[in-house]
Amino acid sequence: MSEFLNITNDYINKIREDEVCKEYFRQKELVSTQYPDLKKQIDEFRYRNFKLQNETDADRLFDETDRFEREYEEFRKNPIVSDFLAAELAFCRMYQEIQSVLGEAFARISHA
């Protein structure tokens, strides 16, 4: 295996060892195995949230977001749901930060 692949695998293992990553996959496993019906509801919530953010025109976004938040207010109070969504958000932010750092590094290389 090339040195590059070794370094990449080491990096991936470091990410897997990070508490944010571990917590996300713990929550994902818990919801998937112990609460399959709730997982379907979470997936529907996530799908609708994605559509809201990506398909709603700017003029209606505030009102639609407010309506969406009110509709799911009780659902999100469920500790299983809120724990999963918090873990997922933390993981996504970590992933975005990694992508941003990599993107900036490659941009600097291309300008060198």
Side-chain angles (χ1 to χ4, degrees), residues 1 9-11 15 20 22 26 30 38 42 44 56 59 65 71 73 76-78 82 85 87-88 95-96 103:
M1 187 178 294
N9 284 329
D10 289 345
Y11 180 62
I15 293 170
V20 168
K22 287 180 181 179
R26 270 194 298 266
L30 172 77
L38 190 56
I42 291 170
E44 176 65 22
T56 305
D59 295 336
T65 300
E71 180 181 347
E73 185 175 5
R76 294 194 63 199
K77 287 181 182 178
N78 179 327
S82 63
L85 292 174
E88 181 180 58
Y95 188 81
Q96 287 171 335

Side-chain angles (χ1 to χ4, degrees), residues 66-108:
D66 188 50
R67 183 191 59 73
F68 180 78
E69 287 177 359
R70 279 185 274 117
E71 180 181 347
Y72 279 98
E73 185 175 5
E74 288 302 313
F75 176 72
R76 294 194 63 199
K77 287 181 182 178
N78 179 327
I80 297 163
V81 172
S82 63
D83 289 352
F84 172 81
L85 292 174
E88 181 180 58
L89 179 60
F91 179 76
C92 288
R93 285 185 175 154
M94 180 182 77
Y95 188 81
Q96 287 171 335
E97 187 175 349
I98 291 167
Q99 292 299 315
S100 177
V101 169
L102 287 172
E104 289 172 15
F106 284 115
R108 284 193 303 272

Side-chain angles (χ1 to χ4, degrees), residues 13-73:
N13 288 330
K14 292 284 186 201
I15 293 170
R16 287 181 179 150
E17 293 169 8
D18 186 272
E19 194 54 41
V20 168
C21 188
K22 287 180 181 179
E23 180 61 18
Y24 168 64
F25 285 102
R26 270 194 298 266
Q27 291 294 330
K28 186 176 179 181
E29 178 71 15
L30 172 77
V31 170
S32 296
T33 59
Q34 296 185 23
Y35 304 97
D37 291 337
L38 190 56
K39 172 145 182 4
K40 289 177 189 174
Q41 293 173 352
I42 291 170
D43 289 346
E44 176 65 22
F45 168 82
R46 292 162 68 230
Y47 172 75
R48 290 188 59 202
N49 188 34
F50 177 82
K51 280 185 65 171
L52 174 70
Q53 293 177 27
N54 291 285
E55 295 178 6
T56 305
D57 63 70
D59 295 336
R60 294 182 21 244
L61 185 58
F62 180 79
D63 291 335
E64 291 296 317
T65 300
D66 188 50
R67 183 191 59 73
F68 180 78
E69 287 177 359
R70 279 185 274 117
E71 180 181 347
Y72 279 98
E73 185 175 5

